[in-house]
Amino acid sequence: MKQEKLMDNEEKFHSGFIALVGRPNVGKSTLLNTVLGEKISIVSAHAQTTRNKITGVWNGENSQIVFLDTPGMHKPKSKLGEVIRQSTVDAIGEVDIVVMLCACDDPPGAGDRYLLSLLENKKTPVVLVLNKIDLVSEVAILKKIKQYSQMYNFKEIIPVSAQTGRNMDELMQVLEKMLPEGPKYFPDDMITDQPERIIVQEIVREKILLRTHEEIPHAIGVFTEEFKVRENGKVYIRCTIYVERESQKRIVIGSKGSLLKDAGKEAREEIQKVVGSPVFLDLWVKVNRDWKNKDYMLRELGYKEHK
């Protein structure tokens, strides 16, 4: 009888939703991509690159984790900024576990304290992940652990390097043990619930961000106007890249169209891996002044309004 009960326990499935939160550029998107073994979340050196809550699905032997990769917490300066901030706040209230990422090479900031204030009265367990341990000494890591443990009662504190993969297995083991019993929300072969159109937009925006200066990142919005499989099997994709000023348009296009051409080539190669077919990528740049404060533009670009 005892043996039958033990077998029943072993067969129980565990699942849950986990929000990845933190300041901009602490490595949330890199961590998610490393966990999944495939790239689904935008990564760049610029702050505020993730704008939508990207859902990534990780499958264990008898478990499933659904990750929400939230935008970096920041002070809103536009309607877009407020929508982005609210998406992080909403995610915290929707999940079973919160994973808060901080960078080992950066001291605690106002964004960290604000996030912790949002978590203060929640019953949701919070795991602190100290990322980028490959950039600091062991002594510095121990100092960071002590520093953050005095700021909040974390369920666990785990130092990792999302870039190199160090301690990532340990992190996943900890998260897996914390999962409640639950159903399998997604099939095994599904790693994200994001529509291909949204993934295309994120890839195109990333390739432009990697090639532009500081004034550009917050000004760019990408919208997939057309996504069509032609008779020859090639996928035709037309995207409009929105900027706020003519000067930004010139930067995005580049000298004789070089920047846009290079970004488009790299984006096309990556999109082909996602859709599994040859792709013809058609990119256009348009000026729409102050688009970040226009409700209809935010809806068109896929950002949900906060009510």
Side-chain angles (χ1 to χ4, degrees), residues 123-136:
K123 294 181 179 179
T124 311
V126 182
V127 174
L128 177 66
V129 173
L130 292 175
N131 192 23
K132 305 185 182 181
I133 59 174
D134 51 308
L135 302 180
V136 298

Side-chain angles (χ1 to χ4, degrees), residues 78-139:
S78 63
K79 282 189 176 182
L80 172 62
E82 175 56 31
V83 170
I84 291 170
R85 185 199 69 84
Q86 188 60 39
S87 71
T88 298
V89 175
D90 291 343
I92 290 172
E94 296 170 354
V95 297
D96 301 289
I97 303 166
V98 172
V99 170
M100 179 173 170
L101 265 78
C102 298
C104 277
D105 62 338
D106 203 14
D112 296 318
R113 288 187 284 274
Y114 178 60
L115 270 171
L116 291 175
S117 71
L118 294 176
L119 295 166
E120 195 65 50
N121 297 317
K122 305 284 185 183
K123 294 181 179 179
T124 311
V126 182
V127 174
L128 177 66
V129 173
L130 292 175
N131 192 23
K132 305 185 182 181
I133 59 174
D134 51 308
L135 302 180
V136 298
S137 67
E138 293 291 331
V139 173

